[in-house]
Amino acid sequence: NPHFLYNTLQMISDFAETGDDEEVSAVCSRLSSIFRYSIDGKSRYVRLGDEVEHVKNYVYIQSIRLNTGSFFSLQIPEECYNIHVPRLILQPLVENSVSHGIYDKLKEEKLLFRHPADSVLHIKITDNGLGIAEEKLTFLREALRPGRQIPEEFGSKSIGISNVNHRLILSYGPEYGLTIESSPGHGTVITIRIPSQTDAKSSI
């Protein structure tokens, strides 16, 4: 996201002008990790633990830039860290919650992992932002069905959700992917449903 990059670089410049060397170093280190992870083309599948670390770096920078303090909590069973998933499936969804929540006084966002007995992993990204209007929610749900795509006029964040869903379906089959639950004024829950093994069908 070029806006994220521009705003982060501006923040680093501001810290440098005030002589806050520790913050400059910390943000630069996290930003470097984000770039390295995003452009690394060695493997299109990564450990879920690596995806989580990428999200942590993104959230750290956003919490400093927006002066929100700690707004993100993570619950993940240890056995989930080594599950392999397509690269960059978590951060676009977290970014969507941040963009549509923090600017509207988001107080908390959670990344929840549930590993039930049926060997299907459920990852829930929840926020307490403004939620999604019923008309748009209906459209988004329809656009997440296999073979559908979200039109560009819905914005880059919505397209990011569509792209993640599309890659998950291509990788694992039409019974997997994203679902969205939302209530205006009460926040949004995006659930990722994937198999808890590494039997992806396509090297997306």
Side-chain angles (χ1 to χ4, degrees):
N1 187 325
H3 296 290
F4 171 73
L5 174 59
Y6 171 81
N7 291 329
T8 302
L9 292 175
Q10 183 60 54
M11 178 180 66
I12 293 172
S13 176
D14 293 341
F15 283 140
E17 288 183 1
T18 60
D20 195 340
D21 296 339
E22 291 186 5
E23 208 68 87
V24 169
S25 177
V27 173
C28 283
S29 177
R30 301 282 184 134
L31 186 61
S32 174
S33 295
I34 286 174
F35 276 128
R36 186 164 54 248
Y37 187 80
S38 298
I39 66 176
D40 185 357
K42 294 180 181 178
S43 175
R44 295 181 180 181
Y45 288 85
V46 296
R47 293 173 58 255
L48 193 51
D50 297 330
E51 278 286 286
V52 170
E53 287 303 312
H54 181 64
V55 168
K56 286 180 178 179
N57 287 330
Y58 169 78
V59 169
Y60 174 84
I61 290 178
Q62 288 288 42
S63 65
I64 297 296
R65 188 176 71 81
L66 300 172
N67 194 28
T68 60
S70 178
F71 68 90
F72 185 82
S73 61
L74 173 68
Q75 299 176 27
I76 174 172
E78 185 175 347
E79 66 267 20
C80 291
Y81 275 90
N82 288 321
I83 294 174
H84 281 73
V85 298
R87 181 186 295 272
L88 294 173
I89 62 169
L90 294 184
Q91 185 269 331
L93 306 183
V94 172
E95 181 179 1
N96 183 74
S97 289
V98 171
S99 298
H100 295 291
I102 280 187
Y103 300 129
D104 298 312
K105 300 182 180 179
L106 173 69
K107 294 184 177 69
E108 185 177 36
E109 183 176 11
K110 296 179 180 179
L111 185 58
L112 308 176
F113 292 75
R114 186 163 64 87
H115 191 192
D118 63 0
S119 296
V120 176
L121 179 65
H122 296 82
I123 306 172
K124 293 184 179 291
I125 299 169
T126 71
D127 68 60
N128 60 356
L130 292 183
I132 303 172
E134 186 62 33
E135 182 178 355
K136 182 175 181 180
L137 180 61
T138 299
F139 183 91
L140 289 174
R141 285 172 172 167
E142 179 67 19
L144 291 177
R145 292 175 58 188
R148 305 291 180 89
Q149 288 286 325
I150 294 177
E152 292 184 4
E153 58 263 28
F154 268 71
S156 61
K157 303 298 187 305
S158 295
I159 293 175
I161 292 177
S162 179
N163 287 341
V164 169
N165 184 65
H166 182 63
R167 291 192 292 129
L168 291 175
I169 290 174
L170 287 177
S171 295
Y172 302 114
E175 65 270 34
Y176 299 101
L178 304 181
T179 59
I180 302 177
E181 300 293 333
S182 187
S183 176
H186 295 89
T188 300
V189 180
I190 299 179
T191 301
I192 301 173
R193 175 181 163 88
I194 58 175
S196 58
Q197 63 270 0
T198 58
D199 61 345
K201 295 181 179 179
S202 173
S203 57
I204 301 303

